[in-house]
Amino acid sequence: MDQKSQIKVMKAGFKILRTDDQPTPRIKIKDNASHEWRTFEKDFKSKAERDRRMATLLVSNIYIED
């Protein structure tokens, strides 16, 4: 999804999530409050734990995955 499309989606009320492994497993977010990626949740013990949390978040209607 390009930047213009992301902005449209965020203006509609959605929050975009992305997983990241550097420097440690974490979940990043981009929303209408900030159009830049920032850390949403961190301190996961493993990628599997992070992925389970991501799956839980994506059940909500406001989160989408990049």
Side-chain angles (χ1 to χ4, degrees):
M1 184 181 322
D2 65 7
Q3 182 71 20
K4 282 185 174 184
S5 298
Q6 288 179 346
I7 291 171
K8 287 180 185 179
V9 168
M10 291 182 292
K11 283 184 178 180
F14 292 94
K15 298 174 187 223
I16 305 170
L17 299 176
R18 172 186 281 180
T19 59
D20 188 28
D21 297 330
Q22 297 297 324
T24 60
R26 63 184 174 159
I27 298 173
K28 294 167 51 173
I29 190 169
K30 189 185 264 193
D31 59 17
N32 210 28
S34 172
H35 293 180
E36 299 299 322
W37 289 108
R38 64 186 192 283
T39 300
F40 180 58
E41 292 185 7
K42 59 181 181 174
D43 298 328
F44 295 103
K45 293 181 175 115
S46 66
K47 291 179 186 179
E49 181 184 7
R50 181 216 45 214
D51 293 344
R52 287 190 297 272
R53 176 62 178 146
M54 183 76 159
T56 302
L57 290 168
L58 291 173
V59 171
S60 172
N61 290 332
I62 63 168
Y63 295 114
I64 61 173
E65 186 172 13
D66 178 48

